[in-house]
Amino acid sequence: MADCRICGGVLTEFYDFGRQPLSDAFLEPDNLEGEFFFRLAVGLCSDCTMVQLMEEVPRDKMFHEDYPYFSSGSSVMRKHFELTARKFLETELTGPDPFIVEIGCNDGIMLKTAAEAGVKHLGVEPSGGVGEVARSKGIRVRTAFFEESTAVEVAKEEGHADVIFAANTICHIPYMDSIFRGIDALLKPNGVFVFEDPYLGDINQRTSFDQIYDEHYYLFTARSVQAMARKFGFDLVDVERYPVHGGEVRYTIARAGAREASPAVAELIAEEDAAGLATLPTLEAFGAKVTKIKEDLVALLTKLREEGKTVVAYGATAKSATVANLCGLSSDLVSFVCDTTPQKQNRVTPGTHIPVRNPEAFSNPYPDYALLFAWNHAEEIMAKEKAFREAGGKWILYVPEVHVL
Ligand code: SAM
Ligand code: TMP
Ligand code: ZN
């Protein structure tokens, strides 16, 4: 039995997704040998309430030179991170020698705005390929995993930071003890550590179970983040909700006693407690809804195949590995997945080996149905693909339940 990665408490497993591949490991169709699998299951810590994976995948298997997720592929996300950077420039970065560090800067989607404003910045990014794209935009990047030793080196070479930011990255990192020691080493006395990740409250409400995959080690709540921050000598001083990626919370963390907490923190924790969010009955009910979605989606796709309808999927997301492998999808039910990322095209999906094609393949000719794997970008994609609906095509969504639009 696994122990809680934060506090060492007892973990109770509440859902087992079975054997799953690395969610971002798109394979060459003629080289399918030796694919890595692990058991994807989630549990709740009865002490600190942190929801987390039962098994950890070694980080170098996930984040490396060929990591294929490029953040700047979505115009909505480009806007979101431009506003994020502007907000820091107007608030935390107005002192004499401002310095912002980003953990997991990817292709520079957020730091681009800081770099263009001429503010001292550094991205710490272990995946070489995406980091190189950031460098080509004039952003300073250190190719490394952020952890205590990296932070100590950065502080020595570059000085201390006013802001350490991370988006969709902290939930990827099991080793929080080393992260917080690193934050302590690198942050100015009154600096802030700000991170945003998919919120368990939204995941539970929408049954967006595909937010659970190898890279998403933690599913945070305000309560579990507050407990984590306190354990490591910090405090949660603000929370803000954002609609991106199906619902996220941005957590602001400061050294214990350094800043007064906003009332929003107590309010969100009270909301979580009233809903019984991180409790076994709620999470077991969530699990039952996941099983229902799986059964409904397989039944729908099987019926469409029997009726001779064509079905393709849209967006070769990391999330879709969970859905596709849980449902045992194959190119028999979903002919291919289209995706804008050149590094994913002409490969096959992890575990299920469905071909990935470029977006032009989508309209040539349009399928009868499109399974929207990138449901978190629904507005952007449906606007872009208006002609599909006009031609009689239908979207299939599976959160919060299986439905056809
Ligand atoms: N921040 C971007 C965004 O929100 O779109 C990128 C998110 S991407 C899902 C996660 C990123 O975290 C990857 O680029 C990965 O290489 C990076 N990463 C993983 N572990 C890390 C670590 N220990 N330190 C720094 N970056 C890490
Ligand atoms: P994400 O949900 O983790 O952000 O991944 C989105 C995936 O969908 C990524 O591989 C890029 C792809 N995508 C498209 O193919 N077309 C689009 O319009 C958008 C926004 C994303
Ligand atoms: Zn715990």
Side-chain angles (χ1 to χ4, degrees):
M1 201 166 55
D3 295 334
C4 172
R5 215 37 178 96
I6 302 293
C7 78
V10 176
L11 283 187
T12 308
E13 185 175 313
F14 61 86
Y15 201 80
D16 183 357
F17 293 88
R19 188 171 172 267
Q20 291 273 346
L22 300 168
S23 60
D24 264 318
F26 292 84
L27 314 168
E28 302 276 7
D30 53 3
N31 189 12
L32 304 176
E33 291 300 301
E35 193 169 8
F36 177 89
F37 288 92
F38 74 110
R39 189 177 79 93
L40 177 68
V42 261
L44 167 73
C45 173
S46 47
D47 290 351
C48 74
T49 77
M50 185 65 85
V51 173
Q52 58 204 279
L53 299 192
M54 303 299 292
E55 276 187 31
E56 187 175 333
V57 171
R59 64 186 188 179
D60 316 81
K61 287 200 183 295
M62 300 184 281
F63 310 115
H64 45 67
E65 186 61 30
D66 299 320
Y67 181 66
Y69 181 68
F70 293 79
S71 304
S72 296
S74 154
S75 60
V76 170
M77 294 313 298
R78 289 199 297 274
K79 188 74 200 161
H80 171 76
F81 285 121
E82 184 194 327
L83 293 177
T84 302
R86 291 212 184 288
K87 191 168 172 197
F88 286 134
L89 291 171
E90 286 161 14
T91 55
E92 303 292 336
L93 298 172
T94 53
D97 193 15
F99 181 28
I100 178 166
V101 172
E102 185 177 6
I103 305 175
C105 70
N106 198 273
D107 61 7
I109 188 167
M110 195 283 290
L111 283 182
K112 182 172 178 284
T113 303
E116 283 168 0
V119 167
K120 183 171 170 188
H121 63 274
L122 181 71
V124 180
E125 173 53 69
S127 300
V130 295
E132 201 47 46
V133 174
R135 274 192 205 101
S136 73
K137 298 174 184 166
I139 295 160
R140 297 180 62 237
V141 182
R142 192 178 181 108
T143 303
F145 284 95
F146 187 91
E147 56 190 339
E148 185 181 12
S149 59
T150 317
V152 167
E153 281 167 28
V154 171
K156 198 152 63 170
E157 291 166 25
E158 310 256 356
H160 292 85
D162 300 272
V163 178
I164 302 177
F165 179 72
N168 307 301
T169 297
I170 296 305
C171 76
H172 293 50
I173 308 179
Y175 39 99
M176 278 300 136
D177 44 350
S178 173
I179 294 296
F180 273 93
R181 286 197 303 270
I183 299 292
D184 190 32
L186 183 55
L187 205 58
K188 284 182 187 169
N190 194 34
V192 282
F193 171 34
V194 181
F195 63 91
E196 60 191 57
D197 282 294
Y199 177 50
L200 183 65
D202 291 303
I203 293 171
N204 179 54
Q205 202 195 351
R206 296 171 183 229
T207 321
S208 46
F209 63 97
D210 53 349
Q211 289 287 10
I212 303 169
Y213 52 94
D214 56 347
E215 296 174 18
H216 285 182
Y217 190 82
Y218 293 114
L219 302 179
F220 295 132
T221 62
R223 177 171 286 292
S224 65
V225 168
Q226 184 185 60
M228 171 170 81
R230 286 183 176 166
K231 176 165 174 62
F232 298 118
F234 289 78
D235 207 358
L236 176 62
V237 298
D238 202 6
V239 286
E240 292 162 277
R241 295 182 76 161
Y242 288 90
V244 296
H245 291 312
E248 301 214 321
V249 171
R250 179 178 294 172
Y251 305 94
T252 300
I253 308 248
R255 286 196 161 80
R259 296 199 186 197
E260 205 182 316
S262 143
V265 174
E267 282 163 20
L268 189 55
I269 291 177
E271 204 181 293
E272 293 170 355
D273 288 350
L277 179 57
T279 62
L280 273 182
T282 301
L283 296 170
E284 281 165 358
F286 166 85
K289 286 186 266 176
V290 176
T291 302
K292 166 105 171 71
I293 290 177
K294 168 190 161 174
E295 290 166 358
D296 289 352
L297 186 59
V298 172
L300 174 63
L301 294 173
T302 307
K303 176 173 115 9
L304 293 175
R305 180 182 56 189
E306 281 162 8
E307 290 171 359
K309 304 289 189 204
T310 52
V311 181
V312 310
Y314 203 107
T317 57
K319 290 184 288 297
S320 66
T322 297
V323 186
N325 286 277
L326 182 71
C327 297
L329 302 186
S330 62
S331 51
D332 200 31
L333 291 172
V334 174
S335 342
F336 64 87
V337 190
C338 66
D339 193 284
T340 47
T341 316
Q343 289 79 353
K344 294 181 182 177
Q345 294 162 5
N346 303 318
R347 296 198 169 217
V348 297
T349 56
T352 47
H353 304 166
I354 301 171
V356 184
R357 306 255 181 270
N358 63 32
E360 286 74 61
F362 183 57
S363 56
N364 191 23
Y366 280 129
D368 297 314
Y369 289 82
L371 175 60
L372 187 55
F373 277 154
W375 54 263
N376 48 316
H377 302 292
E379 219 172 294
E380 182 174 349
I381 289 173
M382 287 184 185
K384 183 156 71 174
E385 299 291 359
K386 245 174 67 198
F388 168 59
R389 284 292 300 275
E390 286 163 6
K394 294 195 162 62
W395 292 102
I396 301 173
L397 283 107
Y398 50 86
V399 294
E401 60 203 357
V402 176
H403 59 290
V404 174
L405 282 180

